[in-house]
Amino acid sequence: MTNRNRRDFLKKAGVATAATVGAATVGAPYVHAQSRAPIRWRMQTYAGPALAAHVIKPSIDAFNKAANGEMEIELFYADQLVPTGELFRAMQRGTIDAVQSDDDSIAAPVDVSVFGGYFPFASRYSLDVPVLFNHYGLREIWEEAYAEIDGVTWLGAGAWDPCNFVTRDPIRSIEDLRGKRVFTFPTAGRFLSRFGVVPVTLPWEDIEVAMQTRELDGIAWAGITEAYTVGWADVANYYLTNNISGAWAGSYFANSDRWNEVPEHLQTLFKLCMDNSHYYRQHWYWWGEAHYRTTGGKLELTSIPEEEWQTLEDAALEFWDEIAEQSDRNARVVQILKDYRQTMQQAGPPYRYS
């Protein structure tokens, strides 16, 4: 083939290819995300606006952007649509579509709900929670438990901050806890009442005022990061460095019908955004707990001697055994917690220092 013939061949082939592609393009249907109405969810978090700005809003904003018009989640804050204690039933009825909270606070009707939130001394550090769920079998147990409940799908759990006391008066001994009216989580309150604490339940947005009016003596609902972030450091004076749990265990839930309506690729996107939120909290709280202890300037730090605080941990192990008696599934969870505790102690530093 001469050079001229080769050029003519390539030219004709190029024209033919372009025509073929053009015809295929014209003939193919054009699919766009907006060809149908977007899926719309209403989701409520346990957190007020200042806290939600860290623990969930960035991930929901990212989801809405990445969903590209196919789905949009409207986020509501603590008690904004439904009181926190009624969230599970509201989600089950379809009044709201999804929830971020702990099982304990939303009164989830499963036996393992007692382990949500701050189960006393179940964790020492925030990494303990994802390790327990992903490597020690808690995920499978939670899936099993919620599979028995109609209308709600449990989507996964992650870690938040530790549970310390933020108080108006100093706590320097266990005896100082006696008679203190404290806002805390249901199961944590049941445990702390053994040491004279008076658990108080109030709407989240009322806590700051309740501290100012002395309706509350303290808060055992968070670590120091949240105390500064949500304004509690402005109405309290002291922060007890001893904690009854190293990390809050919180979950994401959805109304089952609404979750099943979501295409698989958007379900995957939502779970990726959940994981992004879990990751953000790991470093935000780890930074904040040290930062505010050392540079916060609003709260004086107090401590109970470790040998005295050990009496609480010993009592917690007795509490575990009582919970284990409530169901076979709870007994399995308690055994996992005991096995994990032993492993961490045997591993030594940096897993456990005592």
Side-chain angles (χ1 to χ4, degrees):
M1 183 181 289
T2 65
N3 287 338
R4 179 174 180 179
N5 289 339
R6 186 179 291 109
R7 286 195 299 271
D8 290 340
F9 172 79
L10 293 173
K11 185 183 296 183
K12 290 175 182 177
V15 170
T17 301
T20 302
V21 171
T25 303
V26 171
Y30 178 66
V31 179
H32 190 272
Q34 295 290 3
S35 62
R36 67 174 187 176
I39 298 168
R40 298 191 185 278
W41 270 14
R42 299 198 304 172
M43 181 175 189
Q44 185 168 311
T45 175
Y46 73 98
L51 181 58
H54 290 277
V55 301
I56 189 171
K57 190 175 185 300
S59 64
I60 296 302
D61 288 345
F63 175 88
N64 287 338
K65 183 176 181 179
N68 198 31
E70 292 185 69
M71 183 170 173
E72 184 175 351
I73 299 174
E74 186 177 6
L75 182 64
F76 295 88
Y77 305 120
D79 305 305
Q80 195 170 357
L81 292 179
V82 180
T84 295
E86 300 174 16
L87 274 175
F88 192 93
R89 297 301 185 192
M91 178 171 44
Q92 199 172 36
R93 292 192 303 267
T95 304
I96 54 177
D97 304 302
V99 166
Q100 180 206 44
S101 183
D102 67 281
D103 325 58
D104 198 22
S105 295
I106 64 175
V110 292
D111 44 9
V112 296
S113 66
V114 70
F115 300 104
Y118 290 120
F119 190 64
F121 294 94
S123 62
R124 184 68 61 89
Y125 307 115
S126 59
L127 275 175
D128 290 339
V129 173
V131 169
L132 283 162
F133 273 89
N134 293 302
H135 299 282
Y136 276 75
L138 293 195
R139 173 181 293 277
E140 289 76 14
I141 292 176
W142 258 246
E143 289 172 344
E144 172 193 302
Y146 282 96
E148 298 173 1
I149 304 298
D150 292 333
V152 170
T153 299
W154 176 81
L155 299 176
W160 273 250
D161 53 339
C163 183
N164 296 70
F165 284 85
V166 179
T167 56
R168 289 190 288 104
D169 300 319
I171 304 294
R172 296 191 173 94
S173 71
I174 293 176
E175 184 60 29
D176 290 338
L177 296 173
R178 190 166 300 279
K180 296 292 189 294
R181 292 161 299 182
V182 175
F183 173 68
T184 189
F185 290 86
T187 299
R190 282 173 54 194
F191 173 70
L192 290 171
S193 65
R194 301 180 177 205
F195 299 91
V197 171
V198 180
V200 177
T201 301
L202 290 170
W204 192 89
E205 67 270 17
D206 293 345
I207 303 308
E208 188 170 344
V209 173
M211 286 288 288
Q212 292 173 310
T213 61
R214 294 183 172 267
E215 183 180 353
L216 285 176
D217 299 304
I219 303 163
W221 200 83
I224 200 168
T225 309
E226 289 188 13
Y228 277 84
T229 300
V230 306
W232 293 339
D234 297 322
V235 294
N237 301 310
Y238 298 93
Y239 179 81
L240 180 65
T241 60
N242 312 77
N243 63 57
I244 67 162
S245 177
W248 187 72
S251 292
Y252 286 75
F253 309 82
N255 174 277
S256 296
D257 289 340
R258 297 293 281 149
W259 176 250
N260 293 333
E261 290 170 2
V262 176
E264 186 177 3
H265 69 287
L266 290 178
Q267 289 183 350
T268 299
L269 176 62
F270 186 80
K271 288 183 176 180
L272 287 171
C273 289
M274 281 170 44
D275 287 342
N276 175 263
S277 179
H278 294 330
Y279 171 69
Y280 176 84
R281 291 192 310 275
Q282 285 284 345
H283 62 77
W284 182 60
Y285 281 123
W286 191 253
W287 161 80
E289 297 305 299
H291 173 76
Y292 289 112
R293 283 191 186 199
T294 56
T295 64
K298 295 179 180 179
L299 296 173
E300 180 180 335
L301 306 184
T302 63
S303 297
I304 294 175
E306 284 299 324
E307 59 273 14
E308 184 179 356
W309 191 250
Q310 184 64 40
T311 62
L312 260 75
E313 186 163 358
D314 294 342
L317 296 179
E318 296 176 5
F319 184 72
W320 290 10
D321 289 337
E322 294 173 18
I323 298 299
E325 293 175 357
Q326 294 179 356
S327 72
D328 173 70
R329 190 156 46 215
N330 281 3
R332 287 153 55 198
V333 174
V334 168
Q335 189 58 54
I336 287 172
L337 294 178
K338 288 182 176 181
D339 293 343
Y340 182 74
R341 182 173 182 268
Q342 183 178 10
T343 298
M344 295 297 104
Q345 289 174 334
Q346 290 177 343
Y351 296 95
R352 295 293 185 268
Y353 286 89
S354 62

